[in-house]
Amino acid sequence: DTTLGTVGASEGAHLHLILSRLRRLATSSKDGTAKVWNADTGECLHTLEGHTSWVYNAAFSPDGALLATASGDSTAMVWDVETGKRLFTLKGHQGW
């Protein structure tokens, strides 16, 4: 077994953890960020910032190249996993 290390989060943070086909992990948190990790080394590759409320879900595309995050700020964002760059923001949802 490989121990990836400790994922740092503020008190009361909720972490959502998923694994891609490309050996990348994604976590989402109440601090409004998501992070992309190397699943083999535990290294944080990218901190994805842009949401203004907690990120309650994340999902990789089938090929692992994209990550979508959903937030309490009524937006979803799509990210390039390799670069950490936000590709676009989807707005318009109300309530849930």
Side-chain angles (χ1 to χ4, degrees), residues 2-85:
T2 302
T3 301
L4 296 178
T6 303
V7 176
S10 60
E11 185 177 330
H14 166 79
L15 295 177
H16 179 81
L17 179 69
I18 56 174
L19 177 64
S20 82
R21 298 174 106 178
L22 300 177
R23 306 287 304 154
R24 298 294 181 253
L25 292 165
T27 57
S28 59
S29 179
K30 285 185 178 180
D31 68 3
T33 67
K35 292 181 184 277
V36 177
W37 306 82
N38 181 311
D40 295 317
T41 66
E43 174 188 6
C44 179
L45 302 173
H46 305 292
T47 298
L48 309 176
E49 299 178 310
H51 288 292
T52 59
S53 184
W54 62 294
V55 180
Y56 59 83
N57 209 345
F60 285 104
S61 61
D63 65 2
L66 302 176
L67 180 72
T69 56
S71 172
D73 65 8
S74 301
T75 67
M77 295 183 180
V78 178
W79 309 83
D80 181 298
V81 172
E82 183 68 28
T83 65
K85 179 181 177 184

